[in-house]
Amino acid sequence: MEDEGFQTVRAAIPKFASFRPKGNPLSHADRSPGRNEGSKSHQRQEISHALEWHTERQGRTGHHRERHRSKEHTKLSGHDSSGRHRHRVVVPDNSMSQESVFAAWKETPELYVADRQGDPNNLTYGTLHHYIIPPYLRTGAGSILGLSIENKIDRTPNNDSGLVTSNYHWNRASRRERSLLSESAPSRTKELRIRQIGSPDPALEHGKDFVPLLRSRKRKRKLREENSTSSASGTSDEGDCYYYRSIEGKAKSRAGPADRDLEYAMDPAVSDNGLLRPISPEEANRQRNVELSRRVDSRPTDVDAWLELINHQDYLLGTSDSGKRPKLTNAEQSSIADVKLSMYEKALEKVKGDEQLERLVLGMMEEGSEIWDTKKLGSRWHGVLEKYPASIGLWTRYLDFRQTNFISFQYEDCRTVFLDCFGVLKSVFSKSVGLSPSGNAIDRTRIYIFLRLTLFMRESGYVEHAVGLWQGLLEFNVFMPKQLILSANNAPDTSTFNHSLSSFEEFWESEVPRIGEEGAKGWDAWTMDGGSTATPRMDVPNISVDENRVFESWMCSERYRALASRSPARTFDDVQEDDPFRVILFTDLRDCLFCLTSSSLQSELLNAFLAFCRLPPFNSECAGRHAVDWRTESHFMNDALEESNTFLAHWYLDGVPTSATKSLNSEIEEIDTTQTTAARQKSLFDYPARRFRISQDSLFPEGEWFSVFDTWTSRYEGDNGPVELPWMRRVLKMLVDVGIGGESLAEYYLAFELTIEPNRTRKLAKSLLKKHATSLRLYNTYALIEARTGNKASADHVISTAITMSKEFGEDARHDAILLWRTWLWGFLAAGDLESALKHLLALPESTAIQDPNSPDPPFPARLRKPSSAALLRVQRALTDGREQMLSIGRTSHAMLYAECLALLAYLSHDVDIHAALEVFRETSSGLVNRNLTTSPAHELLHQSKAKLFYHHTQHTKSFKPALIRSSLAESIHIFPTNTIFLSLYAWNEARFRIDDRVRSIMRNVVLQDQNPTITAWFFSIWSELHKGIQLGSNSHSVRATFENAVTSQSGKSNPALWKLYLLFEHRLGELRRAKDVFYRGVRGCPWAKEFYMLAFEHLRDVLSFDELRKIYEVLGEKGLRVHLDLEDVFERYDERRVRVIVGGDSVPVVGLPDDGNSDDA
């Protein structure tokens, strides 16, 4: 360059006269000859340095200037060694006149410059030159000089071509609405999609063998016409030209995206100027809110409309978006709840009808619980129950409130609430005598309340009282004398019920053996022969408390006494004198007893009893659609409270880490590197909190498959379960002997006995077969017992004999023949004998039992490689007809067995092609959906059969498609998201892939997508995170985050088993401070769970002081929970010693926590 003070560039846009200092402009002669040879970047650099010098001279960044000044910087900015600044402003050659050429600013510029002429280039280009505008700040809070005070600059539109003003008064309300949760609403991006062409392109003709990638001439001509039209009207794209003004007004930007082949995915709306504009999600929600408000105004008694409007407030206020939104503050939550509560109050004034009002009141109380304090919430509950005393749903929610509120919780008060609920149900039932549907609904509610009451008692420490209640209810409903049953059926009134109660009181006070006890015969047998008094028993002696290890020894002693007190005592038993809760009198039962109005409800009562014993329910055809699975309820899924430490190894939560480096996090990191294929298959069946439909596959599993009883036996080592194992086995035997539950309960009982005592089960099965000689289900059960005990030949003989005998049975009995055929087929498939399986399947239409292949005249050849088409068609028709017949008579579970055999036929006849079997399952599933049986137990059984065949296929074939298994299991999970068979198999199938985290995705998008996910879903989510491994993105932080999400959910915040697992997780990591915090949080959410309190004395003695442990012990007494061994005497001696030590009168050491060992020594 000739002179470093000048740079040769050409200006893209002429400069304007704004902010021009007074002075003479430069002449053309002062310009360098090479001025036009520079680049545009040099021009920008010169301008930016001029602006930097101008800012520095104003004193804003003086210290910054001294730090960054250098020799190189001096050259670029035009400074010489003397400190003078030489700067020339560039003047383009094509300038209009000399008036548009400006002189450089002086070394001492003015504070401000008044430009009365303006820049003529503003009229030409319609914009400002960004590079020569000096720094400035606006004042006036958005006001503009010359406009009204109500007109403000609207900074919402993103328009760099000019300012947009709006009326402050009009937009005040909308601004308040946006600012309520402005920080909570996440920033949204507008979704785009490919624009659909109205008419098909002529180039895309099917007759052509190519598709042209370039537009046709007609298309190009049309596009040019559009561009020329838009350019003339000032609507050209921003990136193509500047904002030139036309005679039609200011230039307007296009409403759509810059790419003409794309359009916004959201629906367009018409703006004020008639142009289409995209609707933002916020505006769409506001429009939806207006529509719902109009709907409520037009139909004020429509409860669904009110609830939809109320729930829509979450979307309107931005709280129902994706999980990326920030957590709302208490003030924001309070604001939202206030709005919804006001809507609930308006709805209650308009809506009539008890059932409709109950839905609104339930929603209002649930919303109020988020912001009301305990006192106000309790008073509102009392007012609601006084106004609606017969509402069963309100009473159930009130029980949740009283049981889970730590401040107001007292055991006796909460138990009184349960009894009050029974009183209300009794009153409602007396008014609905003769109305069978209403009576059945009330009985189902009473069974639910009774189960909750007994579980609440047992978890509070009153195990013998809960067991006594179940003894009384089972005796009262199952073993009631026949004359009382007849009188109750003829006159089901209050007097008859009271007479039955008086008779039962005599039976109970006689203290003869009751159900489950040795020598028990039942209430009915006692009325006939009287019976004998039970043998006196003696309680185990107490274990003394070691005052040097107070809480450790007390914890062991307390648990020992609790296990010894699981059954009620008699008045003549030798019990502890200071324990008045050991003997259960009739007055302790009277208010909780009720008589079922229908025998069909007995199966639900038995399932409730099994849930009390922590056993899975049994299947019953008579239950139908009303069958209740108690395992999805949060209050019924507390199995982990009684689980042994050995069983907790399935959760990786057993024991204590030996060092800081060897912790749970280390084990998680080592999962994928050390796990073999066999270990992965084993972990598939180790998930403890199982929930699926009971079938023969799970009652009598063969090989590797899910079992319903193996977890029960491993969960409670020895006889350490929630109830005494011998007592429970005797109860089941008495119920089976009396015929309650039918053949389904008998099958269930034999499967349970096979798990506990296999050698005794064959004898039990034969004795039951003598009583039920025509029961093909029991013959099938007996064959399964023989097969599982290793007598395969004997099992085949039993099946063959039963099929032959079934021809002489009645039609109803012959329906169970499909059970025998299915058992036979799976026996051959498990052994890998596919030809024998197909050969026996071909004999199904004639119901002819296949003889031994070594017999002199077998009906089929020993090896049948390719059956004829006619034989296959005959079997297919027989199975299809059987499936449709069972569906028509309502025996849906049998229909699913026919469908499974039909799928096995397709699988075997097509050379083990899984696609052929899958097609049969899809056809049957579609038929159930058309019958409105999508979520029925039968449909779930069908999907479980499909899952078993898929797993069998993967284990017995060399090649299979994991994608096919994934899609099939995903379909099952979408319909039954809490079935742990589908979830476990899905996780097992995805364990081989380390890239896509599909398990976490399906848990987040399907299983946990519901507004209130079930507790079963949270348990599996935690288990999958613990077993995923570091290579699939799991670590202690992800597991902790899953625990946090679970314990803050509606279903998990008051689940003591979930809190226990969370505490053990932190303890296993060595995070004792975190474990302590989790403990206190869990106590606040589950104040009735005594076993959760005991965790502090077992695992937290190293982080809790003696006084803290003492306070926890005192809370047990303050809340009224059961304590067998009192420590008050120990504490008194401790206080006396501490006082003597403080005074100095004695040097006896103080009893304290440091002498207590850690939990490993317990």
Side-chain angles (χ1 to χ4, degrees):
M1 300 178 65
E2 297 179 3
D3 189 349
E4 62 180 4
F6 293 89
Q7 297 181 14
T8 305
V9 295
R10 174 173 296 183
I13 301 177
K15 302 179 180 60
F16 54 94
S18 301
F19 306 99
R20 181 184 62 184
K22 297 182 189 286
N24 295 326
L26 298 175
S27 62
H28 288 275
D30 295 330
R31 289 181 297 166
S32 173
R35 185 69 172 171
N36 296 329
E37 298 176 2
S39 64
K40 187 178 297 185
S41 62
H42 292 169
Q43 176 202 14
R44 295 177 179 174
Q45 191 178 54
E46 179 180 333
I47 295 172
S48 64
H49 287 308
L51 291 177
E52 181 182 65
W53 172 85
H54 178 70
T55 304
E56 292 172 353
R57 291 288 295 174
Q58 291 179 344
R60 296 182 182 179
T61 56
H63 64 284
H64 187 74
R65 176 188 59 195
E66 295 296 330
R67 186 171 62 250
H68 288 278
R69 180 177 298 172
S70 62
K71 181 177 181 180
E72 181 181 0
H73 182 72
T74 304
K75 286 184 178 182
L76 293 176
S77 58
H79 289 273
D80 57 11
S81 59
S82 62
R84 294 183 179 181
H85 180 76
R86 294 174 294 147
H87 178 74
R88 302 286 179 91
V89 179
V90 180
V91 181
D93 293 336
N94 57 351
S95 58
M96 296 174 58
S97 66
Q98 201 172 18
E99 293 294 328
S100 61
V101 182
F102 316 129
W105 290 301
K106 296 181 178 180
E107 295 184 4
T108 58
E110 302 288 345
L111 181 62
Y112 65 92
V113 178
D115 185 4
R116 298 179 181 272
Q117 280 187 326
D119 186 2
N121 292 322
N122 279 333
L123 300 177
T124 304
Y125 298 101
T127 184
L128 306 175
H129 199 297
H130 298 286
Y131 296 113
I132 62 174
I133 301 176
Y136 66 93
L137 296 175
R138 289 192 179 100
T139 185
S143 300
I144 300 177
L145 187 65
L147 295 182
S148 173
I149 191 62
E150 293 182 350
N151 288 89
K152 303 284 186 179
I153 298 176
D154 191 356
R155 295 179 175 85
T156 303
N158 185 13
N159 192 350
D160 295 334
S161 62
L163 298 177
V164 178
T165 62
S166 60
N167 190 287
Y168 176 77
H169 178 71
W170 291 349
N171 294 336
R172 188 180 302 170
S174 61
R175 192 162 53 249
R176 281 201 309 265
E177 183 178 336
R178 288 196 304 266
S179 63
L180 176 62
L181 295 176
S182 58
E183 296 182 358
S184 302
S187 59
R188 303 173 185 269
T189 58
K190 298 177 181 179
E191 296 182 0
L192 301 175
R193 64 187 177 193
I194 299 176
R195 176 178 292 177
Q196 299 293 330
I197 303 176
S199 58
D201 195 333
L204 299 178
E205 296 181 0
H206 297 287
K208 294 185 177 181
D209 55 355
F210 70 95
V211 177
L213 299 180
L214 299 178
R215 293 188 177 97
S216 62
R217 292 184 178 181
K218 183 178 180 180
R219 173 66 176 165
K220 291 182 179 180
R221 188 184 308 113
K222 182 178 180 181
L223 190 60
R224 285 197 298 269
E225 292 175 357
E226 292 179 356
N227 291 338
S228 62
T229 303
S230 61
S231 299
S233 60
T235 59
S236 59
D237 292 348
E238 299 179 17
D240 297 337
C241 59
Y242 298 104
Y243 285 93
Y244 293 105
R245 295 196 178 189
S246 66
I247 61 176
E248 298 181 0
K250 186 178 179 179
K252 301 180 179 64
S253 59
R254 296 181 66 251
D259 193 341
R260 293 181 178 272
D261 292 330
L262 300 177
E263 63 182 1
Y264 291 116
M266 59 193 69
D267 296 330
V270 180
S271 61
D272 297 336
N273 55 13
L275 299 178
L276 292 179
R277 61 179 175 83
I279 298 179
S280 64
E282 292 84 356
E283 186 175 356
N285 288 331
R286 288 195 293 270
Q287 292 181 2
R288 177 61 176 165
N289 190 70
V290 173
E291 295 175 1
L292 293 176
S293 299
R294 292 173 180 173
R295 178 183 171 188
V296 167
D297 293 338
S298 60
R299 292 182 291 176
T301 59
D302 189 354
V303 177
D304 294 330
W306 278 106
L307 292 177
E308 190 172 358
L309 175 62
I310 294 171
N311 294 330
H312 184 70
Q313 302 309 304
D314 293 335
Y315 295 89
L316 184 66
L317 300 178
T319 62
S320 288
D321 298 333
S322 63
K324 298 180 181 179
R325 68 180 187 274
K327 196 172 182 179
L328 298 179
T329 62
N330 293 333
E332 292 167 342
Q333 293 177 354
S334 178
S335 300
I336 298 172
D338 284 337
V339 174
K340 299 173 75 172
L341 286 174
S342 62
M343 291 185 175
Y344 274 117
E345 292 174 355
K346 293 179 181 179
L348 289 173
E349 296 175 357
K350 304 290 185 180
V351 177
K352 305 298 180 183
D354 293 341
E355 294 183 1
Q356 306 298 335
L357 288 172
E358 179 180 332
R359 298 172 60 189
L360 291 174
V361 173
L362 282 173
M364 183 183 69
M365 297 306 298
E366 183 176 354
E367 197 66 39
S369 63
E370 300 294 334
I371 59 173
W372 294 335
D373 55 22
T374 303
K375 185 177 180 180
K376 183 177 181 180
L377 184 59
S379 62
R380 292 297 295 266
W381 268 117
H382 286 297
V384 165
L385 292 176
E386 289 178 0
K387 191 174 182 180
Y388 308 102
S391 175
I392 298 172
L394 290 176
W395 276 101
T396 304
R397 293 295 180 88
Y398 182 58
L399 290 174
D400 294 340
F401 165 68
R402 293 302 300 269
Q403 185 174 345
T404 60
N405 189 273
F406 178 80
I407 297 177
S408 62
F409 174 80
Q410 289 289 334
Y411 172 78
E412 283 298 330
D413 294 343
C414 191
R415 190 176 72 91
T416 303
V417 174
F418 278 99
L419 299 182
D420 293 341
C421 186
F422 277 116
V424 172
L425 292 173
K426 182 179 179 180
S427 176
V428 175
F429 178 77
S430 62
K431 298 177 182 179
S432 62
V433 173
L435 303 176
S436 179
S438 178
N440 290 347
I442 294 175
D443 280 344
R444 289 190 178 93
T445 305
R446 290 200 282 195
I447 293 174
Y448 170 83
I449 298 298
F450 188 86
L451 176 59
R452 280 199 58 175
L453 172 62
T454 52
L455 287 175
F456 163 71
M457 287 179 169
R458 186 177 68 192
E459 291 167 6
S460 299
Y462 301 89
V463 185
E464 57 269 70
H465 194 174
V467 172
L469 284 175
W470 273 108
Q471 283 183 312
L473 188 63
L474 292 176
E475 289 276 6
F476 194 73
N477 283 274
V478 178
F479 298 97
M480 180 180 288
K482 295 180 176 58
Q483 61 271 20
L484 294 178
I485 296 176
L486 293 175
S487 60
N489 293 335
N490 295 330
D493 53 9
T494 305
S495 60
T496 306
F497 178 76
N498 292 335
H499 176 64
S500 300
L501 279 180
S502 300
S503 178
F504 185 73
E505 181 179 4
E506 296 178 5
F507 164 72
W508 189 268
E509 296 297 340
S510 66
E511 296 189 333
V512 297
R514 303 153 190 162
I515 182 173
E517 299 174 354
E518 292 185 6
K521 298 180 180 179
W523 180 21
D524 187 18
W526 175 82
T527 58
M528 293 185 294
D529 55 17
S532 58
T533 306
T535 304
R537 295 184 304 176
M538 179 181 297
D539 279 355
V540 295
N542 288 333
I543 301 177
S544 60
V545 176
D546 185 0
E547 297 192 6
N548 292 322
R549 304 168 66 89
V550 177
F551 294 110
E552 179 186 356
S553 60
W554 173 82
M555 175 198 65
C556 298
S557 230
E558 180 69 18
R559 285 179 170 171
Y560 178 73
R561 290 287 303 126
L563 283 176
S565 305
R566 288 175 293 175
S567 295
R570 305 296 203 282
T571 55
F572 50 78
D573 290 342
D574 188 4
V575 297
Q576 300 297 323
E577 297 180 358
D578 57 348
D579 194 351
F581 303 104
R582 291 287 288 117
V583 179
I584 306 301
L585 304 177
F586 179 76
T587 54
D588 299 324
L589 313 175
R590 184 183 183 91
D591 296 333
C592 302
L593 295 179
F594 58 90
C595 185
L596 298 176
T597 57
S598 175
S599 59
S600 61
L601 296 172
Q602 289 182 342
S603 60
E604 296 189 29
L605 179 64
L606 296 183
N607 275 332
F609 170 74
L610 295 176
F612 174 76
C613 300
R614 303 297 190 197
L615 287 173
F618 77 99
N619 287 333
S620 177
E621 287 282 352
C622 61
R625 294 189 180 184
H626 298 290
V628 180
D629 191 353
W630 309 108
R631 292 168 294 176
T632 59
E633 288 280 346
S634 177
H635 292 285
F636 305 144
M637 284 289 293
N638 293 325
D639 306 44
L641 280 178
E642 300 101 1
E643 288 177 353
S644 62
N645 292 331
T646 304
F647 189 75
L648 290 173
H650 296 299
W651 297 93
Y652 294 154
L653 301 176
D654 57 321
V656 180
T658 55
S659 64
T661 57
K662 181 62 177 178
S663 61
L664 175 62
N665 199 31
S666 302
E667 294 186 13
I668 294 176
E669 294 177 0
E670 296 172 0
I671 289 176
D672 286 344
T673 58
T674 61
Q675 195 178 59
T676 62
T677 303
R680 189 172 69 249
Q681 291 178 355
K682 183 179 182 299
S683 64
L684 165 64
F685 307 105
D686 284 345
Y687 176 63
R690 300 178 182 177
R691 198 223 70 84
F692 47 79
R693 290 293 170 183
I694 305 301
S695 64
Q696 292 180 350
D697 296 329
S698 54
L699 289 174
F700 305 94
E702 182 176 11
E704 295 179 345
W705 192 243
F706 300 90
S707 174
V708 296
F709 295 126
D710 61 346
T711 56
W712 195 94
T713 55
S714 59
R715 180 182 291 121
Y716 310 114
E717 296 178 338
D719 188 15
N720 297 324
V723 295
E724 293 180 355
L725 179 60
W727 176 84
M728 183 174 60
R729 294 172 65 184
R730 287 191 291 264
V731 170
L732 290 176
K733 186 178 186 307
M734 291 183 66
L735 295 175
V736 170
D737 291 340
V738 80
I740 300 297
E743 299 174 0
S744 298
L745 184 61
E747 179 186 47
Y748 183 95
Y749 167 66
L750 291 175
F752 181 68
E753 287 292 331
L754 181 64
T755 307
I756 303 299
E757 195 173 353
N759 298 330
R760 180 172 174 264
T761 310
R762 295 176 58 190
K763 182 178 179 180
L764 291 174
K766 290 180 179 179
S767 64
L768 289 175
L769 279 173
K770 291 180 181 179
K771 297 179 181 179
H772 308 278
T774 61
S775 175
L776 293 180
R777 178 181 288 272
L778 290 181
Y779 274 106
N780 181 69
T781 302
Y782 179 60
L784 288 170
I785 294 173
E786 291 286 359
R788 300 304 177 261
T789 54
N791 300 322
K792 184 67 170 57
S794 178
D796 292 342
H797 178 71
V798 171
I799 294 176
S800 177
T801 303
I803 291 176
T804 304
M805 293 170 53
S806 64
K807 298 180 180 180
E808 303 176 358
F809 296 165
E811 182 179 359
D812 291 341
R814 289 200 302 270
H815 289 162
D816 290 336
I818 189 64
L819 294 169
L820 296 165
W821 288 104
R822 180 189 176 280
T823 300
W824 221 351
L825 291 177
W826 273 110
F828 288 116
L829 287 176
D833 192 354
L834 304 182
E835 294 185 358
S836 297
L838 182 59
K839 179 178 66 175
H840 285 73
L841 190 56
L842 293 175
L844 187 144
E846 291 80 13
S847 296
T848 304
I850 305 299
Q851 301 177 12
D852 189 353
N854 298 325
S855 61
D857 188 18
F860 293 95
R863 299 182 61 83
L864 185 61
R865 295 184 178 274
K866 187 66 175 178
S868 63
S869 300
L872 292 175
L873 183 61
R874 186 167 57 252
V875 179
Q876 182 179 0
R877 184 178 302 170
L879 292 173
T880 304
D881 293 343
R883 180 187 62 184
E884 299 303 322
Q885 180 187 5
M886 293 297 104
L887 286 174
S888 62
I889 63 177
R891 306 194 70 171
T892 54
S893 61
H894 284 66
M896 298 306 101
L897 295 176
Y898 276 100
E900 184 179 1
C901 292
L902 189 62
L904 291 177
L905 174 66
Y907 179 73
L908 295 173
S909 60
H910 289 80
D911 296 330
V912 294
D913 185 6
I914 195 65
H915 293 84
L918 184 60
E919 189 63 30
V920 176
F921 284 118
R922 288 174 177 171
E923 178 190 356
T924 307
S925 179
S926 300
L928 292 176
V929 172
N930 295 334
R931 294 172 180 264
N932 296 326
L933 298 174
T934 305
T935 58
S936 63
H939 198 194
E940 192 169 3
L941 287 172
L942 178 70
H943 279 264
Q944 289 181 185
S945 300
K946 180 180 66 174
K948 181 181 180 181
L949 182 58
F950 268 111
Y951 181 74
H952 170 82
H953 182 73
T954 60
Q955 300 302 304
H956 291 80
T957 55
K958 295 182 179 179
S959 62
F960 60 91
K961 296 181 179 179
L964 179 63
I965 300 176
R966 180 189 308 120
S967 60
S968 178
L969 290 174
E971 177 187 358
S972 302
I973 292 173
H974 275 80
I975 304 175
F976 306 101
T978 59
N979 189 298
T980 56
I981 287 182
F982 309 144
L983 294 174
S984 300
L985 287 174
Y986 191 90
W988 169 80
N989 184 61
E990 296 303 319
R992 69 187 82 239
F993 305 106
R994 304 178 186 272
I995 300 177
D996 297 330
D997 193 3
R998 298 188 182 94
V999 177
R1000 190 176 291 171
S1001 299
I1002 201 169
M1003 292 298 299
R1004 179 178 59 252
N1005 300 329
V1006 179
V1007 182
L1008 300 174
Q1009 182 65 24
D1010 191 10
Q1011 186 177 3
N1012 293 318
T1014 62
I1015 191 64
T1016 306
W1018 286 119
F1019 275 127
F1020 188 86
S1021 180
I1022 293 169
W1023 183 83
S1024 64
E1025 284 292 333
L1026 284 169
H1027 289 71
K1028 188 173 299 182
I1030 193 68
Q1031 297 184 11
L1032 291 180
S1034 179
N1035 52 38
S1036 60
H1037 303 291
S1038 64
V1039 177
R1040 182 179 293 115
T1042 307
F1043 268 115
E1044 279 295 327
N1045 292 332
V1047 297
T1048 55
S1049 66
Q1050 187 67 28
S1051 60
K1053 63 182 181 181
S1054 296
N1055 185 272
L1058 189 60
W1059 282 107
K1060 176 183 178 179
L1061 294 178
Y1062 192 9
L1063 185 149
L1064 294 179
F1065 165 74
E1066 298 291 358
H1067 179 264
R1068 188 69 174 84
L1069 286 176
E1071 299 285 349
L1072 297 184
R1073 293 294 178 182
R1074 290 180 180 269
K1076 177 182 177 181
D1077 295 338
V1078 171
F1079 170 77
Y1080 284 121
R1081 293 170 59 192
V1083 167
R1084 287 193 296 268
C1086 312
W1088 77 93
K1090 174 191 172 183
E1091 185 59 30
F1092 187 77
Y1093 287 86
M1094 301 297 290
L1095 296 176
F1097 306 105
E1098 181 179 6
H1099 298 289
L1100 303 180
R1101 296 197 306 272
D1102 293 337
V1103 72
L1104 292 172
S1105 64
F1106 185 90
D1107 291 335
E1108 289 176 320
L1109 290 171
R1110 179 176 178 176
K1111 291 179 181 178
I1112 295 173
Y1113 171 84
E1114 291 172 351
V1115 170
L1116 289 171
E1118 293 173 0
K1119 297 300 180 182
L1121 304 184
R1122 177 73 177 281
V1123 177
H1124 295 272
L1125 298 177
D1126 193 358
L1127 291 179
E1128 291 302 324
D1129 295 339
V1130 178
F1131 291 151
E1132 288 179 2
R1133 291 192 293 270
Y1134 167 78
D1135 293 337
E1136 292 176 358
R1137 294 180 181 181
R1138 183 165 59 178
V1139 169
R1140 288 198 300 267
V1141 170
I1142 294 175
V1143 174
D1146 197 350
S1147 59
V1148 178
V1150 181
V1151 180
L1153 182 63
D1155 290 335
D1156 283 338
N1158 56 25
S1159 57
D1160 288 339
D1161 300 331

